Amino acid sequence: MPGEQVSARVDIWIWSVRLTRTRSIASDACRGGHVRVNGVRVKPAHVVRAGDEVRLRLEGRERVVVVSRVITKRVGAPVAAECYVDKSPPPPPREEAVTVAVRARGAGRPTKRERRSIDKLLGRPPAGGAGPPATG
């Protein structure tokens, strides 16, 4: 197969088997300490060989794969899946993901009514509670 070798840089291999979308994301993950090979944090230029265990923590999920074939050229998804054995834990269910309220860009500051509904949604106590009594 073209691009198949005995060893390769870990960032190139991660990108080649489609664990990351770009090579720069793979390199940044290595530099940030999010990639481990056989339990050791590695730099982007670290050499990976068949049989190595690669742990990649990205986007809130940890991927654990064992290298079965070393490639340096990006390949299609079916071929990429043959290059490693996936031992990752299952992804968290969709329900556990926290949803974030999104306002339309340029909508400005929320109105008082919108702020009250946001506070109610987040479980905050109502603003402007009982203050000191008015003397008169």
Side-chain angles (χ1 to χ4, degrees), residues 8 12 60 92 130:
I12 294 174

Side-chain angles (χ1 to χ4, degrees), residues 25-92:
I25 291 173
S27 295
D28 291 344
C30 292
R31 280 192 224 98
H34 301 292
V35 176
R36 292 176 181 263
V37 176
N38 298 325
V40 180
R41 284 186 181 174
V42 294
K43 293 182 178 180
H46 184 82
V47 175
V48 69
R49 293 182 171 84
D52 287 348
E53 179 188 72
V54 178
R55 291 179 173 263
L56 171 68
R57 199 174 66 232
L58 194 64
E59 299 173 356
R61 182 174 178 215
E62 184 172 30
R63 301 288 308 265
V64 181
V65 297
V66 176
V67 180
S68 60
R69 193 164 74 196
V70 178
I71 58 172
T72 57
K73 300 290 182 187
R74 193 163 170 98
V75 294
V79 178
E82 297 172 0
C83 296
Y84 60 86
V85 178
D86 196 356
K87 295 187 174 185
S88 305

Side-chain angles (χ1 to χ4, degrees), residues 23 44 89 133:
R23 183 171 165 207

Side-chain angles (χ1 to χ4, degrees), residues 95-116:
E95 298 85 44
E96 289 184 19
V98 178
T99 57
V100 178
V102 178
R103 287 185 54 83
R105 186 174 177 94
R109 184 175 172 181
T111 64
K112 189 171 189 176
R113 174 186 240 167
E114 291 171 334
R115 287 197 305 270
R116 285 181 180 157

